[in-house]
C-alpha cells in the first residue's frame, strides 16, 4: 500500500527557485494520509506520452545554449538592460500540429518530435522587435534548427515591433513627473512621491496606463495612486490627478510632458494648473485615503457562530481518479485527458475522451480581457489582456483546505524567461468533490433512490495584478464538461470627484469618499477543439419554435393547435453566434456517427452555471482594442480546425492592437463548413466566459467569487445510448417495508433473491420480519467510523514560510512577454 504523501504547504519562493536547481531543495510541510484505510492508487501510467508537456529546465537550458550559439551574430546577452540589447526572451514548448499528434495518438506514428517556441528580442533598424522561432527537434543534436515561426500569424510574419524600449525609464519618467510637481501633488493630493521608497504608505506612485499604442511608440496617461498599506489595495487608491506623456519617440530623452487633468478640467501644463490652483474659486476634489476600509479581513468581529468552523469535506479512502504525475495524465470514471501549462495561457487540457470515445482534442484559455469605461483618462482607455502578463506565470500556489480541499493532489508548473526557469509549486489542484445536491433521485411509491453528484475538478488561480481568476475544468459522471471562471481580488476602481458637472455616475457606483466602481466587461476566451466521437463534426442550431398546426387527431374540435416543435439549422460557414433569446436554440456539435437509436452523437454547448449568460463585449469596435480581440464580439465561434491556426490570440496582441500578430477576423473569415475536398469537417469552437461587471459596495474590499462567475458547459446530447452516470454514480436505494412489490413496477414478478447479488448491502442484513434488504447501496460505502487527523479538517499553516509572489504590478515588468527586469549596475 502506497502511502500518499504530498506537500501540504510548500514554500513559494519564485526568486529562490530560480537560484536552486529544482524545488525539492525547498523545505515543505507534508501530511500523510494515514487515515486512508484502502489505497485506490496503484501505480498508474499514461497510455501515451504527454506530447504537449512544457519544457523542463534541462530542455530549456539546452534551447538557450543552442540559441546563444546559433544566433551568435546577434551578440545575444544573458543580462539584457533594455530592449536595445538582443537576448532570448521566452522559451516554451511548441504544441505539435494536431495532424501529427492524432497520428501518434490514434495511429501507428512514432511519438511526435519535441520543439520549442521561442521569442528573441532584437534591436533592428533603430527599434526593438520580438521574433518568434521554432527550435527542434529536441534534445538538441546536429539536426536541430531554429526556424522562423510565422505560419500561424497575420501575414505570416514572425515578429512584432515593441512600442517600448525601456521599462525603467517609463517608471522613472513617471515618478520624475510626479516629483517635479510635488508642490501640486501636496496641495491637491496631500502627498508627494518618495523616490527612496516608492511604497512609502504616505507617498504617491505614478501609474502609467501605457497601452494606448500609437504608431512607433506610446502616448500614455498616468494617474497618481496611493500605495496600499499591506493588502495590495492600490487599485482602490486612485487619486484625482492625471498627466499625459508623449512617449512616441524610442529615445526617452525626447519624451515630453503634456496636459494635466484634474476635476474634469484639462490644463495645458503644470504652470496653467498652478495658476488655476491659486486663482479664487478653484474647486478641489476630496482625498481618497487608505485606511481600514481597504482591509481584506475583519479579524475582530464575533457574530454568533463565527467561533465554530464550517463543515468540510474529507476523503478518507483516497481518490477514485488515477493520476500519472509524470505525464500529467488523469483518468476518472471514463474521462481521460492530458494536462499541460504554459506561461501565457496557464492550464491546457488535451485529448479528452469519455468512455473511450473522443470528445475534445484541446481545451484551454486563449486570452483574458477586461475592458473598462469611464469619463477620466485612466478608466476611459483602460483595457487589459492578461495573457500578456501571463495567466500561467501568474498562477501561484494554492492554499490547501481553502483554494482546494486538503486532500487534493497538487501539481507544479514551470515557466522559462531570460535564461531562467521558475517553478511554481502546487499551483494546479485535482480533486473530486461531492455536491450538496444529488445527480439524480426518485421517490416511487415503495422506494426512494438517490445518486450522488461527485465531480472531478482541475483548478488553478491566476493573480494578475489586482485580480484573481479561479479557473476550473469540471468533469461530471454523465460526460458533461464545464469550464468555469470566478473572479476575486481588488477591482480597478475610478477616482470619484463628487463633481456634479462630470458624467462619472454613468460609469459605476460611488463606493467610498472619493471612489467609484468602474464598469467593465470581462471577456475571457477559450478554444475548444471538438472531436465528438471523432474529428468529423458539424454545428447545428436546434431551435425550439412556436408553431400553429392542424393534427388529424384534433379533428374539428381544435382545427388549429398553437404549439411548438424542433427545427434544425445547419451552420454552414465560419461565424460568431450569440446565445439565443429565451434559450430558444441549442448549439450542438454533432458527430457523423450515430448512437443505438439512430440519433447523431453530439455535445451541446451552453452557457452554464454562475451569474446569468456568459457575456460578449458590449463595446462595438473598441477604440482601444482595434483588431486585437475580435473574438470578444460574440459568445461562441465555429471555425475550421487548421494546423496553421493553433491559437485565437497571442500575448503580443496587447502591444500592437491595430496590427495584431493574431487577427481573429482572419481566422473567422466565413469559410464554408460544408464538407469538401479542402474541409474534412474538423471544427473548432471558441467561446467566452466572463461578466459585465458593475461593481457595487459589496466589491469593497474584494469582489466575491460566488457571483463573479460564469461557465460554459459541454453536455452530452445523445452521445451515449443512455445515461452513463448510472454505471459510475454512488448512492442508495431504500426499499420500503411491508409491500410485496416494493420498489418495482406493477406487474413485475417479485423474486426475493434477484437483488442479492447485484446490489450491495451495508451489513448484508435482512429485515428480520420481511426478510427483505432494506437499503441497497451502489458503489462504495463507509463501513465504520474513522479517526480523522486534524490536518484533514484544518490545514496546518504553522511554520508556513514564503517569500514574495511575483504578482505583476501591471506595468510591463514581470509579464509573460517581457519577463522580469532587474536593475543592474
Ligand atoms: C556583434 O558584436 C560585434 C563585435 O563587437 C560587432 O561588430 C557586431 O556589429 C555586433 N552585431 C550586432 C548585431 O550587434
Ligand atoms: C521588475 O520586477 C522585479 C521583481 O518583482 C523587481 O525586482 C524589479 O525592480 C522590477 N523592475 C522595475 C523596472 O520595476
Ligand atoms: C523635471 O524637472 C527638471 C528640472 O526642471 C527637468 O529637467 C526634467 O526634464 C523634468 N522631468 C520630467 C520628467 O518632467
Ligand atoms: C444539415 O446537415 C445534415 C448533415 O450534414 C444534412 O443531412 C441535412 O440535409 C442538412 N440540412 C439542411 C437543411 O441543409
Ligand atoms: C472601427 O473603428 C476604426 C477606427 O477606430 C475604423 O477605421 C473602422 O472602420 C471601424 N470598423 C468598423 C467595422 O466599424
Ligand atoms: C504544422 O503545420 C503548419 C501549417 O500547416 C506547417 O506549416 C508546419 O510545417 C507543420 N509543422 C510540422 C512540424 O509539420
Ligand atoms: C483583420 O482581418 C480582417 C478580416 O480579414 C481585415 O478586414 C482587417 O483589416 C484585418 N486587420 C489588420 C490590422 O490586418
Ligand atoms: Cu472585474
Amino acid at each position: 500500500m502506497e502511502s500518499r504523501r504530498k506537500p501540504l504547504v510548500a514554500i513559494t519562493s519564485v526568486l529562490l527557485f530560480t537560484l536552486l536547481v529544482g524545488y525539492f531543495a525547498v523545505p515543505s510541510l507534508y501530511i500523510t494520509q494515514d487515515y486512508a484505510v484502502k489505497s485506490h492508487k496503484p501505480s498508474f501510467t499514461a497510455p501515451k506520452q504527454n506530447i504537449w508537456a512544457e519544457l523542463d529546465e534541462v530542455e530549456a537550458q539546452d534551447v538557450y545554449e543552442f540559441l546563444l550559439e546559433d544566433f551568435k551574430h546577434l551578440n545575444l546577452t544573458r543580462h539584457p538592460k533594455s530592449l536595445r540589447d538582443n537576448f532570448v526572451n521566452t522559451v516554451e514548448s511548441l504544441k505539435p500540429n494536431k495532424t501529427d499528434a492524432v497520428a501518434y495518438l490514434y495511429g501507428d506514428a512514432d511519438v511526435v518530435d519535441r520543439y520549442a517556441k521561442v521569442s528573441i528580442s532584437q534591436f533592428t533598424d533603430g527599434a526593438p522587435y520580438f521574433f518568434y522561432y521554432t527550435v527542434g527537434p529536441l534534445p538538441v543534436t546536429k539536426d536541430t534548427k531554429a526556424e522562423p515561426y510565422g505560419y500561424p500569424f497575420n501575414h505570416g510574419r514572425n515578429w512584432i515591433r515593441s512600442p517600448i524600449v525601456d521599462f525603467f525609464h517609463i517608471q522613472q519618467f513617471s515618478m520624475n513627473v510626479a516629483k517635479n510637481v510635488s508642490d501640486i501633488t501636496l496641495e491637491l493630493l496631500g502627498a508627494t512621491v518618495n523616490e527612496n521608497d516608492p511604497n512609502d504608505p504616505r507617498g504617491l506612485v505614478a501609474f502609467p496606463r501605457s497601452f494606448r499604442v500609437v504608431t512607433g511608440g506610446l502616448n500614455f496617461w498616468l494617474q497618481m495612486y496611493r500605495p496600499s498599506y499591506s493588502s495590495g489595495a492600490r487599485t482602490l487608491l486612485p487619486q484625482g490627478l492625471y498627466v499625459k506623456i508623449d512617449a512616441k519617440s524610442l529615445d526617452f530623452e525626447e519624451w515630453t510632458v503634456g496636459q494635466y487633468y484634474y476635476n474634469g478640467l484639462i490644463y495645458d501644463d503644470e504652470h496653467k494648473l498652478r495658476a488655476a490652483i491659486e486663482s479664487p474659486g478653484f474647486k478641489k476634489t476630496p482625498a481618497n485615503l487608505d485606511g481600514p476600509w481597504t482591509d481584506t479581513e475583519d479579524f475582530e468581529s464575533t457574530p454568533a457562530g463565527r467561533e465554530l468552523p464550517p463543515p468540510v469535506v474529507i476523503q478518507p479512502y483516497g481518490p477514485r481518479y488515477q493520476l500519472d504525475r509524470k505525464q500529467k495524465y488523469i483518468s476518472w470514471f471514463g474521462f481521460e485527458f492530458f494536462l499541460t501549462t504554459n506561461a501565457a495561457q496557464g492550464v491546457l487540457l488535451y485529448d479528452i475522451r469519455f468512455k473511450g470515445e473522443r470528445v475534445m482534442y484541446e481545451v484551454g484559455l486563449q486570452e483574458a480581457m477586461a475592458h473598462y469605461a469611464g469619463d477620466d483618462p485612466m478608466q476611459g482607455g483602460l483595457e487589459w489582456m492578461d495573457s500578456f502578463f501571463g495567466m500561467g506565470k501568474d498562477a501561484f500556489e494554492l492554499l490547501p483546505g481553502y483554494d482546494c480541499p486538503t486532500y487534493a493532489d497538487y501539481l507544479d508548473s514551470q515557466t522559462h524567461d531570460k535564461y531562467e526557469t521558475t517553478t511554481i509549486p502546487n499551483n494546479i489542484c485535482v480533486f473530486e468533490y461531492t455536491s450538496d445536491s444529488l445527480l439524480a433521485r426518485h421517490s416511487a411509491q415503495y422506494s426512494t433512490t438517490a445518486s450522488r453528484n461527485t465531480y472531478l475538478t482541475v483548478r488553478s488561480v491566476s493573480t494578475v495584478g489586482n485580480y484573481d481568476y479561479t479557473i476550473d475544468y469540471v468533469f461530471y459522471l454523465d460526460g458533461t464538461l464545464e469550464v468555469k471562471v470566478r473572479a476575486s481580488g481588488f477591482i480597478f476602481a475610478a477616482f470619484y470627484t463628487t463633481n456634479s458637472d462630470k458624467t462619472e455616475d454613468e460609469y459605476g457606483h460611488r463606493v467610498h469618499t472619493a471612489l467609484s466602481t468602474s464598469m467593465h466587461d470581462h471577456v475571457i476566451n477559450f478554444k475548444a477543439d471538438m472531436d465528438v466521437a471523432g474529428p468529423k463534426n458539424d454545428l447545428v442550431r436546434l431551435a425550439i419554435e412556436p408553431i400553429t398546426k392542424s393534427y388529424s387527431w384534433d379533428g374539428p374540435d381544435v382545427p388549429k393547435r398553437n404549439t411548438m416543435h424542433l427545427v434544425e439549422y445547419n451552420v454552414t460557414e465560419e461565424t460568431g453566434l450569440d446565445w439565443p433569446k429565451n434559450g430558444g436554440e441549442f448549439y450542438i456539435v454533432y458527430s457523423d456517427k450515430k448512437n443505438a437509436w439512430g440519433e447523431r452523437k453530439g455535445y451541446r454547448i451552453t452557457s452554464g452555471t454562475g451569474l446569468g449568460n456568459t457575456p460578449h463585449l458590449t463595446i462595438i469596435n473598441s477604440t482601444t482594442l482595434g483588431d486585437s480581440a475580435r473574438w470578444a464580439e460574440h459568445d461562441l465561434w465555429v471555425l475550421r480546425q487548421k494546423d496553421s491556426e493553433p491559437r485565437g490570440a497571442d500575448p503580443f496582441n496587447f502591444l500592437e492592437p491595430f496590427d495584431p500578430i493574431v487577427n481573429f477576423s482572419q481566422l473567422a473569415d466565413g469559410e464554408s463548413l460544408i464538407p469538401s475536398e479542402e474541409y474534412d469537417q474538423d471544427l473548432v469552437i471558441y467561446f467566452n466566459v466572463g461578466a459585465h461587471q458593475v461593481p457595487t459596495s459589496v466589491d469593497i474590499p474584494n469582489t466575491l467569487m460566488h457571483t463573479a462567475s460564469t461557465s460554459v458547459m459541454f453536455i452530452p446530447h445523445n452521445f451515449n445510448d443512455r445515461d452513463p452516470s448510472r454505471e459510475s454514480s454512488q448512492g442508495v436505494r431504500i426499499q420500503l417495508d411491508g409491500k410485496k412489490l416494493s420498489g418495482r413496477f406493477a406487474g413485475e414478478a417479485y423474486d426475493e433473491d434477484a437483488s442479492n447479488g447485484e446490489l450491495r448491502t451495508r451489513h448484508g442484513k435482512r429485515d428480520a420480519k420481511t426478510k427483505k434488504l432494506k437499503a441497497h447501496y451502489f458503489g462504495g460505502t463507509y463501513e465504520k467510523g474513522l479517526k480523522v487527523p486534524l490536518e484533514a479538517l484544518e490545514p496546518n499553516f504553522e511554520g508556513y514560510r514564503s517569500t514574495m509572489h511575483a504578482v505583476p504590478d501591471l506595468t510591463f515588468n514581470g509579464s509573460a512577454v517581457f519577463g522580469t527586469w532587474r536593475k543592474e549596475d
Side-chain angles (χ1 to χ4, degrees):
M1 189 176 93
E2 190 194 1
S3 85
R4 274 168 48 78
R5 307 189 87 228
K6 61 182 160 37
L8 172 62
V9 178
I11 311 304
T12 300
S13 166
V14 171
L15 294 179
L16 196 57
F17 286 131
T18 60
L19 303 174
L20 294 168
V21 180
Y23 71 97
F24 294 104
V26 180
S28 317
L29 293 174
Y30 286 89
I31 60 164
T32 308
Q33 287 200 330
D34 53 5
Y35 65 106
V37 293
K38 313 181 226 183
S39 171
H40 285 254
K41 244 193 130 187
S43 69
F44 173 69
T45 36
K48 296 268 176 171
Q49 286 178 42
N50 187 335
I51 51 178
W52 308 273
E54 183 52 295
L55 303 181
D56 64 24
E57 186 165 13
V58 174
E59 288 177 311
Q61 286 304 325
D62 205 19
V63 171
Y64 283 128
E65 295 311 322
F66 171 83
L67 291 169
L68 289 172
E69 191 58 34
D70 205 56
F71 286 84
K72 219 172 191 155
H73 56 287
L74 293 182
N75 301 342
L76 298 176
T77 169
R78 284 175 181 272
H79 300 287
K81 293 191 178 59
S82 77
L83 297 195
R84 285 178 196 281
D85 294 328
N86 297 341
F87 57 93
V88 181
N89 192 48
T90 57
V91 167
E92 64 180 71
S93 80
L94 176 74
K95 304 291 176 276
N97 283 343
K98 183 178 180 184
T99 308
D100 301 331
V102 165
Y104 166 65
L105 294 168
Y106 296 94
D108 307 327
D110 284 344
V111 65
V112 184
D113 283 338
R114 262 169 95 62
Y115 279 77
K117 171 184 168 188
V118 307
S119 69
I120 289 183
S121 181
Q122 191 184 333
F123 199 75
T124 307
D125 301 332
Y129 288 79
F130 288 105
F131 289 87
Y132 272 135
Y133 294 94
T134 62
V135 176
L138 300 179
V140 172
T141 64
K142 60 178 177 17
D143 296 328
T144 299
K145 282 203 290 274
E147 286 184 294
Y149 182 56
Y151 64 79
F153 303 124
N154 195 357
H155 309 307
R157 71 194 165 126
N158 70 318
W159 51 267
I160 70 119
R161 177 179 157 145
S162 170
I164 299 144
V165 187
D166 193 324
F167 313 105
F168 297 106
H169 276 96
I170 291 184
Q171 298 296 99
Q172 226 159 53
F173 192 90
S174 302
M175 289 302 258
N176 283 342
V177 171
K179 200 184 70 181
N180 277 6
V181 295
S182 287
D183 57 324
I184 297 179
T185 64
L186 193 63
E187 172 69 23
L188 298 180
L189 312 176
T192 60
V193 293
N194 176 354
E195 280 179 288
N196 302 324
D197 178 10
N199 291 317
D200 177 352
R202 289 168 309 261
L204 276 183
V205 286
F207 179 78
R209 172 173 72 75
S210 37
F211 32 78
R212 177 67 175 89
V213 181
V214 294
T215 317
L218 285 175
N219 253 340
F220 63 84
W221 278 93
L222 59 83
Q223 182 172 10
M224 304 299 166
Y225 281 77
R226 293 271 187 158
S228 61
Y229 288 129
S230 55
S231 49
R234 180 174 303 177
T235 53
L236 294 186
L237 298 170
Q239 307 301 313
L241 184 64
Y242 311 76
V243 189
K244 192 175 190 176
I245 310 296
D246 178 343
K248 280 198 283 292
S249 172
L250 292 175
D251 181 359
F252 59 85
E253 300 281 327
E254 289 175 16
W255 293 1
T256 54
V257 182
Q259 294 159 320
Y260 283 70
Y261 180 80
Y262 180 78
N263 198 11
L265 297 175
I266 287 278
Y267 301 92
D268 283 343
D269 55 36
E270 60 186 272
H271 311 296
K272 294 255 165 60
L273 177 55
R274 267 196 201 94
I277 294 170
E278 275 151 28
S279 65
F282 181 77
K283 280 215 198 78
K284 282 219 243 173
T285 55
N288 179 24
L289 300 178
D290 203 355
W293 66 278
T294 68
D295 286 349
T296 40
E297 302 84 15
D298 181 342
F299 289 107
E300 263 73 56
S301 297
T302 53
R306 199 185 188 190
E307 74 286 0
L308 288 175
V312 293
V313 169
I314 59 167
Q315 181 188 269
Y317 288 4
R320 288 112 44 91
Y321 57 84
Q322 293 182 295
L323 166 67
D324 177 341
R325 283 183 167 269
K326 189 159 172 287
Q327 297 296 334
K328 293 197 161 114
Y329 179 79
I330 295 164
S331 168
W332 179 79
F333 289 113
F335 270 116
E336 293 164 304
F337 57 92
F338 288 91
L339 183 155
T340 186
T341 53
N342 66 27
Q345 298 170 271
V347 171
L348 303 164
L349 305 182
Y350 282 94
D351 194 22
I352 301 171
R353 307 185 201 192
F354 185 62
K355 308 268 177 195
E357 283 192 286
R358 294 161 71 171
V359 175
M360 264 186 219
Y361 172 72
E362 174 188 6
V363 61
L365 183 141
Q366 304 295 301
E367 186 54 272
M369 185 257 283
H371 200 313
Y372 291 69
D375 82 339
D376 72 62
M378 175 62 73
Q379 297 293 331
L382 198 61
E383 167 261 316
W384 302 108
M385 301 261 237
D386 286 338
S387 86
F388 175 88
F389 297 97
M391 294 297 282
K393 194 182 158 98
D394 299 335
F396 302 109
E397 67 184 350
L398 299 163
L399 296 183
Y402 291 87
D403 279 312
C404 322
T406 46
Y407 56 77
D409 271 292
Y410 294 88
L411 305 173
D412 308 329
S413 64
Q414 294 189 313
T415 60
H416 316 284
D417 76 70
K418 292 199 203 67
Y419 312 97
E420 286 177 352
T421 293
T422 303
T423 299
I424 314 178
N426 302 337
N427 70 341
I428 301 161
C429 68
V430 181
F431 61 90
E432 285 183 276
Y433 204 83
T434 298
S435 170
D436 64 338
S437 61
L438 292 171
L439 191 58
R441 77 174 315 288
H442 183 62
S443 288
Q445 198 162 2
Y446 302 117
S447 69
T448 295
T449 177
S451 304
R452 281 183 171 143
N453 182 12
T454 301
Y455 48 81
L456 180 82
T457 301
V458 175
R459 174 171 295 166
S460 61
V461 181
S462 302
T463 302
V464 186
N466 54 314
Y467 256 144
D468 300 62
Y469 300 98
T470 299
I471 303 171
D472 283 4
Y473 295 93
V474 190
F475 299 85
Y476 296 88
L477 291 169
D478 65 330
T480 294
L481 167 58
E482 180 173 19
V483 179
K484 185 155 187 168
V485 178
R486 300 170 169 90
S488 190
F490 290 99
I491 60 167
F492 209 112
F495 182 76
Y496 190 78
T497 61
T498 66
N499 174 348
S500 59
D501 295 337
K502 283 186 89 230
T503 58
E504 56 197 347
D505 291 314
E506 285 176 31
Y507 301 95
H509 298 298
R510 185 182 182 185
V511 287
H512 208 255
T513 316
L515 194 72
S516 171
T517 64
S518 99
M519 67 185 300
H520 53 281
D521 279 359
H522 287 278
V523 190
I524 302 169
N525 188 252
F526 287 79
K527 173 185 178 185
D529 182 339
M530 307 294 294
D531 282 352
V532 176
K536 279 193 196 306
N537 291 170
D538 58 78
L539 185 72
V540 164
R541 292 167 35 220
L542 179 64
I544 298 147
E545 294 187 355
I547 189 176
T548 302
K549 195 170 171 175
S550 311
Y551 298 92
S552 61
W553 43 263
D554 257 335
D557 308 345
V558 185
K560 279 188 171 170
R561 183 171 287 271
N562 293 334
T563 180
M564 61 184 175
H565 69 156
L566 297 174
V567 185
E568 270 194 19
Y569 300 101
N570 292 344
V571 178
T572 55
E573 61 180 45
E574 294 186 332
T575 188
L577 297 168
D578 293 334
W579 301 127
K581 209 172 136 195
N582 192 28
E585 289 185 0
F586 288 8
Y587 299 154
I588 302 164
V589 175
Y590 275 129
S591 168
D592 60 336
K593 301 197 181 69
K594 292 182 173 163
N595 72 8
W597 320 115
E599 294 284 345
R600 297 221 278 156
K601 288 157 97 54
Y603 259 77
R604 176 183 167 200
I605 309 171
T606 178
S607 194
T609 62
L611 199 70
N613 269 3
T614 60
H616 58 268
L617 185 62
T618 307
I619 299 162
I620 295 163
N621 197 16
S622 158
T623 311
T624 313
L625 286 173
D627 278 335
S628 64
R630 295 286 177 193
W631 44 260
E633 295 179 347
H634 291 289
D635 292 327
L636 187 82
W637 299 82
V638 54
L639 270 62
R640 285 186 183 183
Q641 190 284 328
K642 291 182 183 173
D643 283 347
S644 58
E645 295 178 355
R647 294 267 275 109
D650 189 278
F652 281 128
N653 275 15
F654 192 52
L655 294 175
E656 277 196 313
F658 301 101
D659 191 12
I661 186 163
V662 171
N663 178 356
F664 189 78
S665 303
Q666 283 172 4
L667 274 58
D669 57 355
E671 284 177 291
S672 165
L673 297 178
I674 296 167
S676 66
E677 291 238 319
E678 78 271 20
Y679 179 58
D680 59 3
Q681 266 186 289
D682 188 359
L683 58 76
V684 170
I685 299 291
Y686 286 88
F687 64 93
N688 297 317
V689 299
H692 299 299
Q693 219 187 346
V694 184
T696 66
S697 57
V698 86
D699 291 83
I700 306 299
N702 275 179
T703 290
L704 304 181
M705 286 202 242
H706 70 308
T707 49
S709 65
T710 51
S711 84
V712 163
M713 287 174 109
F714 296 85
I715 302 171
H717 197 94
N718 297 322
F719 186 72
N720 304 90
D721 300 335
R722 64 181 304 182
D723 170 22
S725 76
R726 240 179 108 262
E727 63 202 48
S728 346
S729 62
Q730 178 275 338
V732 69
R733 181 185 180 94
I734 303 289
Q735 304 289 120
L736 304 183
D737 280 340
K739 297 285 172 193
K740 237 190 164 217
L741 297 177
S742 157
R744 285 152 205 280
F745 292 108
E748 193 181 353
Y750 179 68
D751 170 1
E752 195 184 311
D753 292 328
S755 56
N756 287 359
E758 297 163 28
L759 301 174
R760 298 195 58 234
T761 71
R762 183 159 193 157
H763 302 296
K765 283 206 188 100
R766 285 161 175 272
D767 185 273
K769 221 161 66 204
T770 66
K771 300 269 191 277
K772 277 188 291 187
L773 303 172
K774 285 169 104 179
H776 302 298
Y777 294 87
F778 41 99
T781 52
Y782 290 100
E783 299 293 341
K784 53 184 193 256
L786 290 160
K787 271 198 180 154
V788 178
L790 181 57
E791 290 75 18
L793 304 175
E794 193 66 60
N796 182 2
F797 291 98
E798 294 292 322
Y800 179 87
R801 284 184 299 117
S802 182
T803 52
M804 192 173 69
H805 286 150
V807 177
D809 62 5
L810 299 180
T811 62
F812 293 97
N813 189 22
S815 68
V817 164
F818 286 120
T820 297
W821 287 81
R822 294 185 190 85
K823 192 105 193 150
E824 291 178 43
D825 305 311

